[in-house]
Amino acid sequence: MPDDPYENLASFGLTLKAHESRFGWFLRTFRVDKLLFVSGATSVVDGAPVARGRIGAEVSLEQGVASARQAAVNLVAAVHADTGDLRRWRPVNLRIYGALDPAFERFSEVATGASQLLVDVFGELYGAHTRTGVSMPNPANGAAVEVEAIFALRDGEGQ
Amino acid sequence: MPDDPYENLASFGLTLKAHESRFGWFLRTFRVDKLLFVSGATSVVDGAPVARGRIGAEVSLEQGVASARQAAVNLVAAVHADTGDLRRWRPVNLRIYGALDPAFERFSEVATGASQLLVDVFGELYGAHTRTGVSMPNPANGAAVEVEAIFALRDGEGQ
Amino acid sequence: MPDDPYENLASFGLTLKAHESRFGWFLRTFRVDKLLFVSGATSVVDGAPVARGRIGAEVSLEQGVASARQAAVNLVAAVHADTGDLRRWRPVNLRIYGALDPAFERFSEVATGASQLLVDVFGELYGAHTRTGVSMPNPANGAAVEVEAIFALRDGEGQ
């Protein structure tokens, strides 16, 4: 798999559409030295959740995985929109929040949807990351999954 | 709106009272280079929650917003108590945790109470931040909202 | 209490066993300058949860504290495995996630199990940290507690 995020996005048929907010205080990303903090991105496409509700109830395992994947796409879209060049950045720390039915026990498989998307886009070397999966009681604006991340400049790319 | 946090606090009638802990291992904040990590602050005033319980059940939407605002005030109080000068710092990354009734769907409005407080205090330029809203099943020591943040030194202010 | 983590681990009878993953994208830790991001670690020992379920229901308060302690041990194991020297590092920012029964109100006591472990290992000076406790609806792969952290190089130890 190549390491160029734009080639990878094209080969997976993914398009990036960064979130817009009506609030002036909302920042999609904020950079401090080599780190880029990224706001939580939900599993929406064209303004609507990929699947609405809780995973294990209204939302199936497969829809949960697709939700995690879409939330990660939206995270990547934010990084692209604000920095202009995904090739300079890599994910380093990811939190994947899933709205779960109380009986649902397979959230790590869902969270892996987000992790795999980052590898699909950034390649195996630069897409690897630390992560934590966290269950939530309620969907985020209806969406089953929300992800947030800290990205970092790739080595050797200076400040 | 002026950019001086102390003038803004006064104009909104806000007073800062930093959390004290009986545990030696508890740090309100910890600085690494330009970043200041801040412990989670709950929506308490004078030791009691602004509202006790879950938003959408015992706690109304309006009380939830007030809770988010108070938790953010307490976060600012920690930064002031430990650094001595809010004018050198700005919020960059915020997580807002809300204890929600399972049927409550308007948490983003609650979370915005915390975000707006930061703009009220730090002004529109320096108060803007990345954020993630996360639902929780249980209140935090009875409080409906808890917020945590990473602050950063403002540009040009050196180390 | 001495400040040598390895002496402290021995005196508490603790052994470190770092988590292995079958996924190439999974990083236990990732370093950027002075910061070390650490993946969420669950309260497992030898592959099985210390206690399975929710604290306040299937899992007692005491088992919850033991779970928090074990999750923190696993976090320390990750730092040791990847850096080779705990004496150069200190915890600075901790998130403790607990799967709770909806009626359970003593989570801060549980979370303190993780905080105390860090003091036991790193000593009172270097073990102190900022933290946030977060309740979750569901266990993490069956485990009642999950912790994640950011560590930092100790002062004066250079890069």
Side-chain angles (χ1 to χ4, degrees), chain C residues 53-147:
Chain C
R54 292 173 177 83
I55 306 169
E58 306 86 357
V59 178
S60 69
L61 172 64
E62 292 70 25
Q63 289 172 316
V65 172
S67 294
R69 195 168 172 85
Q70 182 61 36
V73 169
N74 293 339
L75 199 72
V76 172
V79 176
H80 168 69
D82 284 6
T83 71
D85 193 354
L86 293 172
R87 290 167 294 204
R88 297 182 67 211
W89 297 92
R90 57 167 299 160
V92 299
N93 188 233
L94 189 68
R95 263 175 293 286
I96 308 120
Y97 303 97
L100 307 187
D101 182 81
F104 186 72
E105 297 185 346
R106 296 172 66 181
F107 181 54
S108 64
E109 293 172 60
V110 170
T112 292
S115 291
Q116 185 59 49
L117 181 281
L118 294 176
V119 174
D120 290 345
V121 173
F122 291 93
E124 292 186 3
L125 176 60
Y126 291 116
H129 54 272
T130 63
R131 83 167 200 189
T132 302
V134 182
S135 62
M136 297 192 298
N138 291 26
N141 290 325
V145 178
E146 181 165 21
V147 295

XYZ file of all heavy atoms in Angstrom, chain C residues 53-147:
702
model
N -17.666 -7.050 34.370
C -18.979 -6.435 34.510
C -18.901 -4.984 34.930
O -17.895 -4.312 34.683
N -19.988 -4.525 35.586
C -20.097 -3.124 35.974
C -19.889 -2.967 37.482
O -20.404 -3.769 38.273
C -21.478 -2.580 35.589
C -21.709 -2.470 34.094
C -23.148 -2.088 33.777
N -23.345 -1.925 32.339
C -23.584 -2.929 31.495
N -23.688 -4.164 31.931
N -23.729 -2.676 30.203
N -19.196 -1.907 37.836
C -18.951 -1.634 39.244
C -20.270 -1.174 39.888
O -20.967 -0.316 39.358
C -17.850 -0.562 39.414
C -16.587 -0.992 38.646
C -17.535 -0.345 40.890
C -15.544 0.108 38.522
N -20.580 -1.775 40.998
C -21.852 -1.493 41.650
C -22.889 -2.568 41.347
O -23.916 -2.645 42.015
N -22.598 -3.394 40.338
C -23.482 -4.523 40.023
C -22.664 -5.807 40.226
O -22.456 -6.214 41.368
C -24.007 -4.402 38.593
N -22.169 -6.400 39.142
C -21.385 -7.635 39.268
C -20.041 -7.402 39.949
O -19.433 -8.337 40.486
C -21.126 -8.255 37.886
C -22.370 -8.493 37.050
C -22.778 -7.253 36.237
O -22.108 -6.198 36.376
O -23.774 -7.346 35.499
N -19.558 -6.192 39.892
C -18.228 -5.862 40.407
C -18.372 -4.978 41.648
O -19.046 -3.947 41.618
C -17.397 -5.129 39.317
C -16.022 -4.733 39.841
C -17.278 -6.004 38.060
N -17.746 -5.395 42.745
C -17.838 -4.631 43.993
C -16.938 -3.407 43.949
O -16.059 -3.288 43.077
C -17.431 -5.507 45.172
O -16.036 -5.772 45.101
N -17.124 -2.502 44.911
C -16.237 -1.349 45.047
C -14.792 -1.804 45.174
O -13.890 -1.261 44.504
C -16.647 -0.528 46.279
C -15.719 0.616 46.693
C -15.650 1.695 45.620
C -16.170 1.236 48.013
N -14.543 -2.805 46.008
C -13.175 -3.276 46.231
C -12.593 -3.866 44.936
O -11.427 -3.643 44.617
C -13.148 -4.327 47.350
C -13.464 -3.780 48.730
C -14.943 -3.367 48.893
O -15.820 -3.905 48.166
O -15.220 -2.482 49.731
N -13.407 -4.615 44.223
C -12.932 -5.168 42.949
C -12.714 -4.059 41.924
O -11.840 -4.158 41.059
C -13.947 -6.178 42.397
C -14.014 -7.474 43.186
C -15.172 -8.354 42.720
O -16.291 -7.864 42.500
N -14.917 -9.647 42.589
N -13.504 -3.011 42.030
C -13.323 -1.870 41.142
C -11.991 -1.183 41.388
O -11.267 -0.841 40.444
N -11.672 -1.006 42.652
C -10.377 -0.399 43.008
C -9.229 -1.284 42.509
O -8.257 -0.788 41.927
C -10.277 -0.173 44.530
C -8.872 0.274 44.920
C -11.315 0.844 44.991
N -9.371 -2.586 42.719
C -8.333 -3.513 42.242
C -8.233 -3.471 40.713
O -7.139 -3.584 40.142
C -8.633 -4.931 42.725
N -9.360 -3.291 40.061
C -9.360 -3.193 38.595
C -8.627 -1.939 38.139
O -7.835 -1.972 37.181
C -10.802 -3.170 38.069
O -11.453 -4.394 38.308
N -8.914 -0.829 38.799
C -8.252 0.428 38.430
C -6.744 0.302 38.631
O -5.941 0.763 37.813
C -8.809 1.583 39.260
N -6.381 -0.333 39.727
C -4.957 -0.538 40.023
C -4.291 -1.395 38.937
O -3.215 -1.071 38.451
C -4.842 -1.208 41.397
C -3.462 -1.175 41.992
C -3.493 -1.591 43.466
N -2.162 -1.729 43.983
C -1.437 -0.713 44.472
N -1.949 0.484 44.525
N -0.198 -0.920 44.904
N -4.959 -2.468 38.534
C -4.373 -3.352 37.522
C -4.285 -2.662 36.161
O -3.300 -2.823 35.424
C -5.184 -4.647 37.401
C -4.609 -5.645 36.402
C -3.214 -6.098 36.778
O -2.889 -6.262 37.949
N -2.335 -6.273 35.790
N -5.299 -1.885 35.809
C -5.241 -1.166 34.534
C -4.047 -0.216 34.526
O -3.348 -0.078 33.509
C -6.550 -0.405 34.301
N -3.795 0.422 35.667
C -2.652 1.332 35.751
C -1.329 0.572 35.678
O -0.358 1.042 35.072
C -2.733 2.160 37.035
N -1.285 -0.622 36.277
C -0.091 -1.461 36.139
C 0.167 -1.753 34.654
O 1.308 -1.672 34.168
C -0.241 -2.790 36.926
C 0.883 -3.760 36.563
C -0.258 -2.535 38.429
N -0.892 -2.062 33.931
C -0.735 -2.385 32.510
C -0.285 -1.165 31.692
O 0.431 -1.300 30.700
C -2.040 -2.950 31.961
C -2.360 -4.310 32.567
O -1.462 -4.997 33.081
N -3.625 -4.698 32.547
N -0.711 -0.007 32.126
C -0.266 1.235 31.488
C 1.241 1.404 31.709
O 1.987 1.740 30.774
C -1.035 2.391 32.134
C -1.145 3.729 31.449
C -2.073 3.648 30.256
C -1.710 4.754 32.435
N 1.670 1.180 32.925
C 3.093 1.283 33.250
C 3.892 0.241 32.455
O 4.993 0.519 31.961
C 3.313 1.114 34.771
C 4.803 1.013 35.099
C 2.665 2.266 35.536
N 3.320 -0.945 32.307
C 3.989 -2.008 31.547
C 4.230 -1.568 30.102
O 5.278 -1.869 29.516
C 3.157 -3.292 31.582
N 3.272 -0.857 29.538
C 3.428 -0.379 28.158
C 4.571 0.627 28.055
O 5.373 0.588 27.118
C 2.116 0.254 27.677
N 4.648 1.518 29.038
C 5.713 2.527 29.021
C 7.078 1.854 29.177
O 8.043 2.184 28.481
C 5.480 3.585 30.129
C 6.643 4.576 30.183
C 4.166 4.317 29.886
N 7.139 0.894 30.080
C 8.402 0.171 30.262
C 8.795 -0.597 28.995
O 9.946 -0.545 28.534
C 8.303 -0.790 31.438
C 9.450 -1.748 31.506
N 10.729 -1.353 31.813
C 9.526 -3.082 31.265
C 11.541 -2.392 31.776
N 10.835 -3.452 31.444
N 7.847 -1.303 28.417
C 8.153 -2.145 27.252
C 8.656 -1.310 26.078
O 9.556 -1.735 25.347
C 6.909 -2.940 26.844
N 8.099 -0.129 25.913
C 8.442 0.665 24.727
C 9.621 1.613 24.952
O 10.278 2.004 23.990
C 7.230 1.482 24.260
C 6.205 0.606 23.544
O 6.377 -0.625 23.521
O 5.226 1.160 23.012
N 9.854 2.024 26.190
C 10.930 3.004 26.418
C 12.147 2.380 27.095
O 13.239 2.936 27.012
C 10.471 4.166 27.318
O 10.292 3.686 28.669
C 9.159 4.776 26.813
N 11.927 1.283 27.813
C 13.058 0.600 28.449
C 13.528 1.210 29.753
O 14.380 0.643 30.425
N 12.978 2.367 30.124
C 13.437 2.971 31.379
C 12.379 3.876 31.996
O 12.258 5.051 31.640
C 14.731 3.756 31.162
C 15.386 4.131 32.500
O 14.782 3.874 33.566
O 16.500 4.674 32.470
N 11.656 3.328 32.959
C 10.600 4.100 33.634
C 11.166 5.284 34.411
O 10.448 6.231 34.712
C 9.821 3.196 34.598
C 8.988 2.085 33.969
C 8.448 1.155 35.059
C 7.838 2.669 33.159
N 12.459 5.222 34.739
C 13.047 6.306 35.548
C 13.162 7.623 34.802
O 13.395 8.662 35.406
C 14.433 5.871 36.056
C 14.326 4.772 37.107
C 15.671 4.127 37.360
N 16.113 3.400 36.159
C 16.976 2.394 36.178
N 17.488 1.977 37.323
N 17.330 1.791 35.060
N 12.996 7.581 33.487
C 13.084 8.822 32.712
C 11.716 9.475 32.538
O 11.620 10.601 32.044
C 13.662 8.541 31.319
C 15.076 8.020 31.355
C 15.595 7.812 29.941
N 15.731 9.092 29.260
C 15.580 9.269 27.938
N 15.259 8.245 27.170
N 15.739 10.462 27.386
N 10.642 8.788 32.906
C 9.292 9.228 32.589
C 8.447 9.461 33.833
O 8.721 8.926 34.890
C 8.611 8.186 31.694
C 9.309 8.025 30.386
C 10.291 7.132 30.082
C 9.123 8.818 29.211
N 10.711 7.309 28.785
C 10.014 8.342 28.229
C 8.271 9.878 28.895
C 10.079 8.896 26.947
C 8.341 10.429 27.619
C 9.239 9.941 26.668
N 7.376 10.217 33.645
C 6.397 10.408 34.710
C 5.011 10.574 34.078
O 4.880 11.122 32.985
C 6.725 11.643 35.537
C 6.806 12.922 34.734
C 6.823 14.120 35.644
N 5.609 14.154 36.428
C 5.458 14.822 37.559
N 6.450 15.526 38.049
N 4.307 14.808 38.204
N 3.970 10.124 34.766
C 2.609 10.361 34.265
C 2.258 11.832 34.463
O 2.603 12.425 35.490
C 1.744 9.475 35.163
C 2.517 9.357 36.440
C 3.979 9.391 36.045
N 1.601 12.431 33.468
C 1.165 13.818 33.651
C -0.335 13.991 33.470
O -0.926 14.919 34.009
C 1.909 14.796 32.714
C 3.410 14.769 32.998
C 1.632 14.522 31.256
N -0.956 13.111 32.699
C -2.380 13.303 32.401
C -3.033 11.937 32.267
O -2.629 11.127 31.440
C -2.507 14.114 31.101
C -3.924 14.548 30.767
O -4.426 14.300 29.671
N -4.598 15.189 31.709
N -4.031 11.688 33.112
C -4.644 10.361 33.210
C -6.154 10.464 33.016
O -6.796 11.383 33.539
C -4.359 9.806 34.613
C -4.689 8.361 34.923
C -3.780 7.406 34.155
C -4.546 8.091 36.419
N -6.701 9.530 32.248
C -8.151 9.393 32.182
C -8.502 7.993 32.651
O -7.921 7.015 32.176
C -8.676 9.614 30.758
C -9.201 11.031 30.500
C -9.588 11.259 29.073
N -8.423 11.211 28.232
C -7.505 12.173 28.160
N -7.656 13.294 28.836
N -6.453 12.027 27.403
N -9.425 7.919 33.601
C -9.845 6.642 34.151
C -11.314 6.436 33.788
O -12.170 7.225 34.203
C -9.693 6.610 35.690
C -8.286 7.024 36.088
C -10.044 5.230 36.238
C -8.228 8.239 36.968
N -11.569 5.412 32.974
C -12.927 5.099 32.550
C -13.428 3.907 33.361
O -12.767 2.865 33.404
C -12.960 4.737 31.067
C -12.410 5.802 30.147
C -11.090 5.749 29.693
C -13.210 6.864 29.718
C -10.586 6.719 28.840
C -12.703 7.846 28.863
C -11.390 7.758 28.432
O -10.883 8.724 27.595
N -14.597 4.041 33.969
C -15.171 2.940 34.722
C -16.545 2.570 34.199
O -17.377 3.453 33.973
N -16.771 1.273 34.005
C -18.102 0.787 33.630
C -18.917 0.679 34.907
O -18.601 -0.126 35.786
C -18.000 -0.565 32.929
N -19.950 1.496 35.002
C -20.675 1.626 36.266
C -22.138 1.214 36.169
O -22.794 1.441 35.153
C -20.639 3.093 36.734
C -19.293 3.790 36.843
C -19.471 5.160 37.485
C -18.281 2.953 37.614
N -22.616 0.645 37.256
C -24.048 0.497 37.425
C -24.657 1.903 37.523
O -24.040 2.796 38.127
C -24.329 -0.285 38.719
C -25.813 -0.511 38.931
O -26.366 -1.445 38.328
O -26.419 0.272 39.700
N -25.851 2.094 36.948
C -26.419 3.455 36.958
C -26.568 4.062 38.352
O -26.557 5.290 38.504
C -27.792 3.266 36.298
C -27.625 2.072 35.420
C -26.666 1.166 36.132
N -26.648 3.234 39.389
C -26.839 3.759 40.739
C -25.530 3.948 41.505
O -25.532 4.452 42.627
C -27.762 2.819 41.533
N -24.409 3.583 40.893
C -23.128 3.637 41.617
C -22.617 5.075 41.704
O -22.504 5.761 40.696
C -22.092 2.747 40.924
C -20.799 2.617 41.676
C -20.726 1.864 42.843
C -19.651 3.257 41.239
C -19.529 1.739 43.541
C -18.455 3.137 41.922
C -18.394 2.385 43.087
N -22.290 5.524 42.910
C -21.927 6.929 43.116
C -20.530 7.129 43.700
O -20.165 8.239 44.071
C -22.953 7.603 44.044
C -24.343 7.633 43.473
C -25.342 8.412 44.345
O -25.005 8.689 45.521
O -26.424 8.720 43.847
N -19.751 6.070 43.807
C -18.443 6.210 44.463
C -17.282 5.979 43.510
O -16.257 5.408 43.879
C -18.390 5.240 45.658
C -19.431 5.605 46.713
C -19.532 4.558 47.802
N -18.335 4.470 48.600
C -18.172 3.600 49.605
N -19.156 2.761 49.918
N -17.054 3.587 50.302
N -17.423 6.449 42.264
C -16.388 6.168 41.264
C -15.069 6.859 41.578
O -14.002 6.361 41.214
C -16.868 6.541 39.857
C -15.850 6.241 38.803
C -15.300 4.968 38.680
C -15.424 7.232 37.930
C -14.343 4.691 37.709
C -14.476 6.961 36.960
C -13.932 5.690 36.849
N -15.124 8.007 42.249
C -13.849 8.680 42.508
C -12.947 7.808 43.388
O -11.723 7.825 43.247
C -14.066 10.061 43.126
O -14.663 9.942 44.382
N -13.554 7.003 44.264
C -12.748 6.079 45.076
C -12.106 5.001 44.209
O -10.977 4.569 44.465
C -13.609 5.410 46.150
C -14.114 6.384 47.197
C -15.127 5.728 48.129
O -14.796 4.739 48.800
O -16.286 6.225 48.168
N -12.849 4.568 43.210
C -12.308 3.574 42.278
C -11.149 4.172 41.493
O -10.058 3.582 41.401
C -13.414 3.091 41.310
C -12.819 2.248 40.181
C -14.471 2.298 42.073
N -11.386 5.358 40.937
C -10.362 6.006 40.109
C -9.084 6.222 40.902
O -7.968 6.156 40.354
C -10.894 7.326 39.557
N -9.235 6.470 42.182
C -8.069 6.702 43.025
C -7.188 5.451 43.126
O -5.981 5.558 43.385
C -8.522 7.211 44.409
O -9.077 8.526 44.208
C -7.376 7.311 45.392
N -7.742 4.294 42.864
C -6.918 3.091 42.794
C -5.847 3.196 41.728
O -4.699 2.772 41.924
N -6.203 3.796 40.600
C -5.220 3.979 39.521
C -4.215 5.061 39.892
O -3.003 4.911 39.669
C -5.938 4.345 38.216
N -4.708 6.137 40.465
C -3.817 7.242 40.841
C -2.816 6.794 41.900
O -1.624 7.116 41.841
C -4.644 8.429 41.350
O -5.379 9.003 40.287
N -3.306 6.035 42.893
C -2.419 5.578 43.964
C -1.340 4.642 43.430
O -0.199 4.658 43.894
C -3.242 4.895 45.063
C -2.422 4.498 46.287
C -1.747 5.694 46.948
O -2.382 6.711 47.203
N -0.432 5.581 47.198
N -1.720 3.807 42.461
C -0.718 2.895 41.881
C 0.435 3.673 41.252
O 1.609 3.301 41.369
C -1.388 1.985 40.840
C -0.565 0.926 40.119
C 0.269 1.478 38.990
C 0.291 0.092 41.061
N 0.091 4.769 40.592
C 1.146 5.564 39.958
C 2.077 6.180 40.999
O 3.288 6.280 40.780
C 0.534 6.642 39.062
C -0.220 6.098 37.845
C -0.869 7.234 37.058
C 0.712 5.295 36.932
N 1.513 6.578 42.133
C 2.347 7.099 43.219
C 3.179 5.970 43.826
O 4.359 6.148 44.153
C 1.484 7.779 44.297
C 2.335 8.198 45.489
C 0.766 8.981 43.699
N 2.575 4.808 43.961
C 3.318 3.658 44.503
C 4.529 3.346 43.635
O 5.595 2.977 44.149
C 2.421 2.424 44.583
C 1.341 2.551 45.661
O 1.457 3.449 46.521
O 0.381 1.759 45.628
N 4.373 3.471 42.329
C 5.450 3.099 41.409
C 6.446 4.241 41.205
O 7.659 4.030 41.247
C 4.873 2.649 40.048
C 5.996 2.434 39.020
C 4.050 1.374 40.216
N 5.936 5.450 40.985
C 6.823 6.554 40.605
C 7.217 7.438 41.792
O 8.037 8.341 41.635
C 6.176 7.404 39.509
C 6.067 6.691 38.189
C 4.920 5.980 37.842
C 7.141 6.699 37.303
C 4.831 5.308 36.633
C 7.063 6.037 36.095
C 5.903 5.331 35.751
N 6.640 7.185 42.953
C 6.933 8.012 44.116
C 6.045 9.243 44.150
O 5.358 9.561 43.175
N 6.061 9.937 45.279
C 5.126 11.048 45.456
C 5.438 12.223 44.543
O 4.530 12.910 44.070
C 5.129 11.503 46.918
C 4.522 10.439 47.831
C 4.373 10.906 49.264
O 4.691 12.071 49.546
O 3.938 10.085 50.085
N 6.720 12.454 44.287
C 7.075 13.598 43.446
C 6.719 13.346 41.990
O 5.984 14.122 41.372
C 8.575 13.888 43.572
C 9.095 15.003 42.658
C 8.399 16.330 42.936
C 10.606 15.155 42.818
N 7.211 12.254 41.439
C 7.040 12.009 40.009
C 5.735 11.285 39.678
O 5.363 11.188 38.512
C 8.226 11.220 39.456
C 9.503 12.032 39.438
C 10.595 11.657 40.209
C 9.595 13.179 38.656
C 11.770 12.404 40.191
C 10.760 13.935 38.641
C 11.840 13.543 39.409
O 12.990 14.291 39.398
N 5.060 10.747 40.682
C 3.804 10.039 40.411
C 2.586 10.944 40.383
O 1.522 10.544 39.913
N 2.715 12.170 40.870
C 1.582 13.097 40.871
C 1.171 13.442 39.444
O 2.017 13.506 38.556
C 1.946 14.360 41.646
N -0.131 13.675 39.228
C -0.629 13.845 37.852
C -1.973 14.559 37.841
O -2.676 14.613 38.843
C -0.778 12.469 37.199
C -1.613 11.517 38.005
N -1.083 10.711 38.998
C -2.942 11.261 38.013
C -2.054 9.997 39.553
N -3.182 10.317 38.975
N -2.329 15.083 36.685
C -3.693 15.567 36.451
C -4.541 14.375 36.025
O -4.034 13.420 35.437
C -3.733 16.642 35.342
O -3.296 16.072 34.105
C -2.834 17.823 35.697
N -5.831 14.438 36.342
C -6.662 13.299 35.968
C -8.119 13.689 35.768
O -8.590 14.716 36.265
C -6.585 12.214 37.036
C -7.519 12.459 38.188
C -7.668 11.216 39.075
N -8.864 11.268 39.884
C -9.152 10.417 40.856
N -8.306 9.439 41.149
N -10.275 10.529 41.544
N -8.820 12.820 35.067
C -10.267 12.935 34.893
C -10.856 11.542 35.012
O -10.340 10.592 34.410
C -10.616 13.532 33.509
O -9.986 14.809 33.387
C -12.126 13.702 33.347
N -11.914 11.403 35.794
C -12.648 10.143 35.889
C -13.904 10.222 35.045
O -14.627 11.217 35.111
N -14.148 9.177 34.253
C -15.280 9.188 33.316
C -16.057 7.886 33.457
O -15.459 6.803 33.386
C -14.780 9.323 31.853
C -15.950 9.378 30.881
C -13.882 10.547 31.698
N -17.367 7.980 33.643
C -18.169 6.760 33.706
C -18.577 6.313 32.309
O -18.805 7.125 31.418
C -19.402 6.967 34.584
O -20.250 7.973 34.063
N -18.624 5.001 32.133
C -19.025 4.389 30.852
C -20.201 3.458 31.119
O -20.324 2.904 32.216
C -17.910 3.502 30.292
C -16.616 4.174 29.938
S -15.541 3.048 28.964
C -15.265 1.696 30.155
N -21.034 3.228 30.108
C -22.125 2.268 30.316
C -21.661 0.816 30.239
O -22.188 -0.044 30.954
C -23.107 2.593 29.192
C -22.268 3.210 28.116
C -21.163 3.954 28.825
N -20.684 0.516 29.386
C -20.331 -0.882 29.131
C -18.879 -1.172 29.510
O -18.018 -0.321 29.333
C -20.499 -1.202 27.634
C -21.946 -1.212 27.188
O -22.787 -0.551 27.797
N -22.247 -1.929 26.121
N -18.610 -2.379 29.992
C -17.229 -2.773 30.237
C -16.425 -2.752 28.932
O -16.987 -2.816 27.832
C -17.362 -4.208 30.770
C -18.757 -4.287 31.313
C -19.576 -3.417 30.408
N -15.111 -2.657 29.073
C -14.207 -2.643 27.921
C -13.655 -4.045 27.727
O -12.805 -4.485 28.507
C -13.077 -1.640 28.167
N -14.176 -4.750 26.746
C -13.823 -6.163 26.566
C -14.030 -6.941 27.864
O -13.233 -7.805 28.218
C -12.379 -6.307 26.086
C -12.211 -5.829 24.658
O -13.110 -5.983 23.825
N -11.063 -5.231 24.372
N -15.092 -6.610 28.555
C -15.425 -7.308 29.789
C -14.830 -6.693 31.037
O -15.281 -6.962 32.151
N -13.803 -5.860 30.867
C -13.099 -5.289 32.021
C -13.840 -4.070 32.567
O -14.368 -3.255 31.815
C -11.676 -4.900 31.623
N -13.840 -3.941 33.885
C -14.590 -2.861 34.527
C -13.903 -1.503 34.413
O -14.561 -0.471 34.522
C -14.810 -3.201 36.007
N -12.602 -1.502 34.207
C -11.867 -0.229 34.183
C -10.888 -0.197 33.014
O -10.267 -1.216 32.675
C -11.089 -0.003 35.502
C -10.282 1.301 35.440
C -12.041 0.049 36.694
N -10.767 0.982 32.422
C -9.767 1.230 31.385
C -9.107 2.567 31.718
O -9.779 3.507 32.132
C -10.445 1.301 30.013
C -9.471 1.544 28.870
C -10.090 1.259 27.497
O -11.338 1.258 27.394
O -9.332 1.032 26.534
N -7.794 2.634 31.556
C -7.100 3.907 31.797
C -6.219 4.241 30.608
O -5.668 3.353 29.955
C -6.232 3.884 33.084
C -7.092 3.725 34.325
C -5.183 2.792 33.024
